[in-house]
Amino acid sequence: MTAVAPDRLIGRLVPVDVHFDDLDALGMLHNARYPVLVERAWTALWNERGLVFEGDWDAAGDFCNAVKELSISYEAPVLRPGGYAVHLWIERLGNTGLTYGFRFCSADGATTYARGTRVLVRLDPATLRPARWSDTLRASAQDLLLPRD
């Protein structure tokens, strides 16, 4: 996805904070912290929409899922703690799979530091086999879906 003006984003720009202890020995945001910060941004977004996981896997619903793939491309180093953002969108929402895209960026969305995709599979908590995403998640995700060509 190409960078666009923040007011024209498809998806959502979610604020995140980088702390001093997120930096590596060279003073750069450690590569392993990017997925954690992206996950925190998704959690904040779903919580804001009333979709909350409270630790009960049998009642977890759509939060009972597993990562199938994760791809990240690092484009520029984050060199200091402070306020940043994660731009989130959904590329594909299938029956049991969901592919989302993300950019780790400046707080205003203008500068991209990293970008990637992550594929999730919704699981049945009893069998750990693929299960259909709920209508609640589908409805909540509509404004995050990229338009289909």
Side-chain angles (χ1 to χ4, degrees):
M1 174 173 229
T2 58
V4 295
D7 62 338
R8 302 194 40 131
L9 291 176
I10 295 170
R12 177 77 182 278
L13 202 59
V14 179
V16 295
D17 289 316
V18 171
H19 299 275
F20 177 78
D21 60 355
D22 292 322
L23 305 180
D24 65 14
L26 297 175
M28 294 186 284
L29 181 59
H30 192 282
N31 69 82
R33 300 304 292 164
Y34 288 85
V36 171
L37 292 165
V38 170
E39 184 70 23
R40 288 180 182 165
W42 273 114
T43 299
L45 179 63
W46 291 133
N47 286 345
E48 177 184 293
R49 294 172 180 222
L51 301 171
V52 179
F53 172 62
E54 301 197 12
D56 178 359
W57 286 113
D58 289 329
D62 294 304
F63 290 100
C64 186
N65 60 65
V67 176
K68 181 177 179 182
E69 296 176 22
L70 173 64
S71 173
I72 301 175
S73 174
Y74 303 96
E75 299 187 8
V78 172
L79 299 173
R80 61 182 46 95
Y84 293 87
V86 178
H87 172 199
L88 303 170
W89 65 90
I90 297 175
E91 295 188 0
R92 180 183 173 281
L93 178 55
N95 288 325
T96 62
L98 181 153
T99 302
Y100 70 74
F102 64 89
R103 287 187 314 121
F104 189 89
C105 51
S106 57
D108 64 1
T111 303
T112 299
Y113 298 101
R115 68 178 68 240
T117 59
R118 187 171 176 187
V119 179
L120 300 176
V121 177
R122 164 83 156 76
L123 300 174
D124 177 286
T127 65
L128 298 182
R129 300 291 306 152
R132 183 171 166 73
W133 296 103
S134 73
D135 291 338
T136 302
L137 179 119
R138 290 174 184 287
S140 186
Q142 289 305 302
D143 66 315
L144 302 171
L145 279 166
L146 287 180
R148 296 189 90 105
D149 293 332

